[in-house]
Amino acid sequence: MTATSTRTLFPIIRDRAGPVQPIPAAIAAITGQPLPAVTRMLQQSIGDLKALAGLPGDVAPEDSCHAALHRFGYAPLRLYADAHRRPVMGQLLRAYALSPGRAERLLAICESGDAFALLGSQAAAWSSSAPTDLGALVRTGTLDMDAPVRFAFTVMPHRAVPLASPDHAFLESVAGPAFALADAYSIEVLPVGWPYWNLSFPGEMTDGTPGSGDTLVCGEHELLSVINDRVRQVEQAGEMTGELLARVGLGPARPSP
């Protein structure tokens, strides 16, 4: 399976435990490669670039990203930010929106180390497995329009590179507890084309507003995280209610954890 024909950003496939780093996440959203495959390619690129230069020291993130994207089958198209041109994010996005021709995949790395993938109005970041829109990242504060941009360029596919297979054993080990929790709390889990899942929560696990019972999640890791967080909220609310009732003499006292 290859990933060069789509006109959308890809979901970020998390098939390893641990935190998600911004730069690998952005490249995963551009290429469709699982996160561990991206991390390995970046590390390999760094090692090869060090050997090529024959000099000690760090490799600039823009150099390792350029090499990794090339090896994943993507060629550079238009440069928006580099050592000689450091716009803030808002300026970069305006220039990107005004560029001629159809939108291409954009990788933007901020001075802070944050990184984003964009394709037209679509955007992806380390904070969520599924691509979203640019406005959503701005509203949540994930993307700062005043953040200085270290490096940014667009890329386009120029050769087909097979997608690495995710670690299905890990994904199954994460999905198992998620399904068990869902069954215990009467949460309906429906696949919506891997890696997406739709969750339908019972009324007591919602805030009562229309649509609050349905949630679309991306990937097994997010599936477990969202179910676990909702269950924890319900359990904590139940404990608080029991303690309040005990204080006014309307129920048995419950020990605090």
Side-chain angles (χ1 to χ4, degrees), residues 25-231:
I27 294 179
I30 288 173
T31 64
Q33 298 288 348
L35 268 176
V38 173
T39 301
R40 286 194 300 269
M41 186 65 80
L42 284 169
Q43 292 170 344
Q44 181 182 340
S45 298
I46 290 170
D48 291 346
L49 289 170
K50 283 185 175 181
L52 184 64
L55 298 172
D58 295 331
V59 173
E62 52 265 36
D63 293 334
S64 59
C65 289
H66 187 284
L69 283 165
H70 174 75
R71 291 171 173 179
F72 282 136
Y74 288 81
L77 185 63
R78 184 174 286 110
L79 183 66
Y80 288 90
D82 60 5
H84 305 290
R85 193 171 31 165
R86 296 285 173 89
V88 298
M89 183 60 74
Q91 294 171 328
L92 165 66
L93 294 177
R94 282 191 291 273
Y96 176 61
L98 294 172
S99 61
R102 70 177 189 174
E104 298 293 347
R105 295 167 178 83
L106 173 74
L107 172 67
I109 303 174
C110 298
E111 292 281 6
S112 63
D114 291 348
F116 303 91
L118 292 100
L119 180 57
S121 62
Q122 302 171 56
W126 70 97
S127 56
S128 176
S129 298
T132 182
D133 63 85
L134 182 60
L137 292 184
V138 173
R139 288 191 296 272
T140 59
T142 304
L143 188 148
D144 181 0
M145 297 291 277
D146 294 322
V149 180
R150 173 191 176 103
F151 179 74
F153 75 146
T154 51
V155 295
M156 61 183 302
H158 73 102
R159 60 186 175 88
V161 174
L163 293 177
S165 179
D167 186 341
H168 292 286
F170 174 82
L171 297 179
E172 290 172 3
S173 72
V174 174
F179 292 141
L181 268 178
D183 183 62
Y185 285 85
S186 301
I187 302 167
E188 186 177 13
V189 181
L190 294 175
V192 193
W194 190 81
Y196 292 98
W197 305 82
N198 187 74
L199 302 179
S200 293
F201 292 95
E204 62 271 18
M205 300 186 77
T206 73
D207 60 11
T209 59
S212 62
D214 293 322
T215 302
L216 185 69
V217 297
C218 178
E220 286 77 359
H221 189 281
E222 191 169 290
L223 176 70
L224 176 59
S225 296
V226 171
I227 293 176
N228 192 50
D229 288 346
R230 191 71 68 97
V231 168

